[in-house]
């Protein structure tokens, strides 16, 4: 029997959670100092990383291949308000949509540079209106679709200017409907409206505040704070919605090349 790679299966399970909201009077030794009004980010060393063994495994679906419900590297997942699950299948150059119990619904995409085509897509996000956004990595652009895969619009090109990209990776929306994109090889985050209008950007190459090294995953919490997986700095960087630096944390040294970040409700 051919051994399936675990990276090619979509797994629905609760494994570990980072606890970042516990209050204390002083920052942990391994953490950067927060700005004054963000003292809630100061955490107890013993609570910064908790693994919840009591969270049981639920189920899995998928396998290696090109058929419906199969994957060649399932790398990013997004869930809409109706609990449909969208999965980026980069080596098949497509997006697949499922019910929350793993039943296949539809798919779209093929390899190429035309509207609705992809070159190794990576990040995915769904806005409050149900539109699906995909980071089209090697086409250096963001594409927007309806929830059934109908192409709506696109923006971006290769470069380092405003609205240009050098390997766009992670996508995340805030509650106000702004889209944040990790522009990996430009070592920055860019912020857009839902129709692709450039708003602002932050980040330069390096290891200090407002500096990033190969950023990948991104998430926004209910307070509008932006969390970035700063992959090659082994950190999670935290910013306000305008790009102002808040702090970083690294799980007391337990993070190694983090690529994904997500928050619960």
């Amino acid at each position: 029997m051919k051994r399936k790679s675990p990276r090619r299966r979509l797994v629905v399970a609760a494994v570990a959670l980072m606890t970042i909201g516990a209050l204390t009077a002083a920052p942990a030794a391994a953490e950067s100092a927060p700005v004054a009004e963000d003292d809630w980010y100061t955490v107890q060393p013993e609570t910064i990383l908790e693994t919840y063994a009591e969270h049981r495994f639920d189920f899995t679906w998928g396998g290696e291949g090109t058929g419906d419900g199969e994957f060649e590297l399932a790398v990013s997942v997004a869930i809409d308000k109706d609990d449909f699950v969208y999965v980026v299948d980069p080596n098949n150059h497509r997006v697949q949509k499922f019910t929350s119990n793993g039943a296949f619904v539809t798919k779209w995409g093929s390899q190429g540079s035309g509207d609705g085509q992809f070159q190794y897509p990576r990040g995915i996000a769904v806005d409050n209106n149900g539109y699906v956004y995909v980071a089209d990595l090697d086409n250096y652009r963001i594409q927007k679709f309806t929830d059934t895969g109908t192409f709506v619009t696109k923006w971006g090109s290769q470069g380092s200017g405003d609205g240009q990209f050098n390997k766009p990776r992670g996508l995340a929306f805030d509650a106000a409907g702004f889209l944040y994109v990790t522009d990996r090889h430009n070592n920055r985050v860019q912020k857009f409206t839902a129709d692709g209008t450039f708003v602002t950007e932050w980040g330069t190459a390096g290891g200090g505040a407002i500096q990033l090294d190969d950023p990948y995953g991104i998430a926004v919490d209910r307070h509008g704070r932006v969390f970035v997986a700063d992959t090659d700095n082994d950190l999670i960087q935290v910013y306000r919605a305008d790009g102002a630096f808040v702090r970083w944390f690294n799980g007391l040294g337990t993070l190694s090349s983090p690529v994904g970040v997500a928050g619960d409700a």
Side-chain angles (χ1 to χ4, degrees), residues 183-188 203-208 210-217 228-235 237 239 257-259:
D183 187 4
R184 191 174 186 188
H185 292 330
N186 282 327
N187 297 295
R188 66 181 178 179
T204 58
I210 319 296
Q211 291 186 314
L212 299 163
D213 192 353
D214 227 13
Y216 203 122
V228 180
D230 189 5
T231 304
D232 285 356
N233 280 325
D234 301 318
L235 299 172
Q237 301 258 22
Y239 304 91
S257 300
V259 296

Side-chain angles (χ1 to χ4, degrees), residues 41 180 189 202 218-221 224-228 237-241:
Y41 272 105
Y180 301 80
V189 173
W202 66 86
I218 191 166
V220 185
D221 72 8
R225 285 165 282 235
V226 182
F227 295 72
V228 180
Q237 301 258 22
V238 187
Y239 304 91
R240 292 195 186 89

Side-chain angles (χ1 to χ4, degrees), residues 19-253:
T19 303
I20 59 174
L23 298 177
T24 186
E31 304 304 306
S32 66
V35 295
E37 60 267 40
D38 284 283
D39 285 341
W40 70 274
Y41 272 105
T42 306
V43 297
Q44 299 277 7
E46 65 271 17
T47 64
I48 191 165
L49 182 64
E50 296 182 10
T51 300
Y52 289 87
E54 70 272 15
H55 284 206
R56 66 177 179 84
F57 171 81
D58 285 335
F59 59 92
T60 179
W61 72 82
E64 183 178 359
T66 60
D68 295 347
E70 295 181 319
F71 306 102
E72 291 288 343
L73 296 178
V75 297
S76 298
V77 175
I79 301 173
D80 68 18
K81 60 185 178 181
D82 296 316
D83 290 333
F84 286 104
V85 180
Y86 302 82
V87 184
V88 177
D89 187 7
N91 289 3
N92 284 325
H93 309 282
R94 67 184 181 182
V95 171
Q96 296 194 67
K97 179 180 179 179
F98 302 89
T99 66
S100 59
N101 62 8
F104 175 81
V105 176
T106 191
K107 65 186 176 185
W108 67 88
S110 60
Q111 187 171 15
S113 58
D115 294 347
Q117 293 185 307
F118 302 111
Q119 285 279 41
Y120 303 100
R122 283 299 190 270
I124 191 166
V126 183
D127 71 14
N128 290 332
N129 295 312
Y131 289 103
V132 181
Y133 299 72
V134 181
D136 190 3
L137 184 77
D138 282 356
N139 282 324
Y140 305 95
R141 65 187 181 183
I142 307 301
Q143 295 199 67
K144 178 180 178 178
F145 302 90
T146 67
D147 61 356
T148 58
T150 300
F151 174 81
V152 176
T153 191
K154 64 186 177 185
W155 70 89
S157 61
Q158 186 174 9
S160 57
D162 294 346
Q164 294 184 309
F165 303 103
N166 191 353
K167 308 289 187 181
R169 291 279 184 159
L171 302 180
F173 274 97
D174 65 15
F178 290 104
L179 178 66
Y180 301 80
V181 182
T182 51
D183 187 4
R184 191 174 186 188
H185 292 330
N186 282 327
N187 297 295
R188 66 181 178 179
V189 173
Q190 295 196 67
K191 179 179 179 178
F192 301 90
T193 64
D195 63 1
T197 301
F198 175 81
V199 177
T200 190
E201 54 93 19
W202 66 86
T204 58
I210 319 296
Q211 291 186 314
L212 299 163
D213 192 353
D214 227 13
Y216 203 122
I218 191 166
V220 185
D221 72 8
R222 64 183 180 273
H223 304 289
R225 285 165 282 235
V226 182
F227 295 72
V228 180
D230 189 5
T231 304
D232 285 356
N233 280 325
D234 301 318
L235 299 172
I236 303 299
Q237 301 258 22
V238 187
Y239 304 91
R240 292 195 186 89
D242 61 359
F245 175 74
V246 176
R247 66 172 298 116
W248 56 261
F249 60 90
N250 68 351
L252 297 183

